[in-house]
Amino acid sequence: MELKELIRGAHHLIEAKDKKRITQEDMARRIGVGHRTYLEYQRGTNAPLAMKSLLNLLNMLDDVEIVKVVREWNSSNKANS
């Protein structure tokens, strides 16, 4: 599966969770990138190496460990806001 497919899939899952349509511009704002950058991610014209590396790292963990990493990231972001 290509990175762009993962991004699109995650976008759709978040829309389903929020029970509303989320524009690319709104999603870009949510994840802290520019609208054009997010659009390029979805098109597959820009695939950041860091994102690929992170997904490869997460793939080496089991589900519980992945959740722990994501929750720590979330807590850190909230503390820095």
Side-chain angles (χ1 to χ4, degrees):
M1 178 178 283
E2 291 187 44
L3 187 57
K4 68 181 181 180
E5 293 166 340
L6 288 173
I7 292 168
R8 282 190 204 136
H11 186 120
H12 293 305
L13 287 170
I14 293 166
E15 286 179 324
K17 178 183 167 193
D18 289 358
K19 297 179 182 166
K20 66 178 183 178
R21 186 178 179 285
I22 302 169
T23 66
Q24 291 173 335
E25 190 171 349
D26 287 338
M27 188 63 76
R29 196 174 308 114
R30 284 185 181 195
I31 66 170
V33 299
H35 174 244
R36 183 159 184 91
T37 299
Y38 186 69
L39 182 63
E40 289 175 1
Y41 290 170
Q42 281 201 321
R43 288 183 180 162
T45 55
N46 184 345
L49 187 56
M51 192 180 306
K52 287 181 180 180
S53 297
L54 176 60
L55 288 170
N56 286 332
L57 285 169
L58 292 174
N59 193 46
M60 294 180 209
L61 302 173
D62 63 31
D63 293 349
V64 172
E65 294 166 326
I66 293 169
V67 170
K68 181 180 177 184
V69 169
V70 172
R71 286 189 175 152
E72 287 175 4
W73 168 259
N74 190 32
S75 293
S76 175
N77 277 345
K78 287 179 181 177
N80 292 329
S81 294

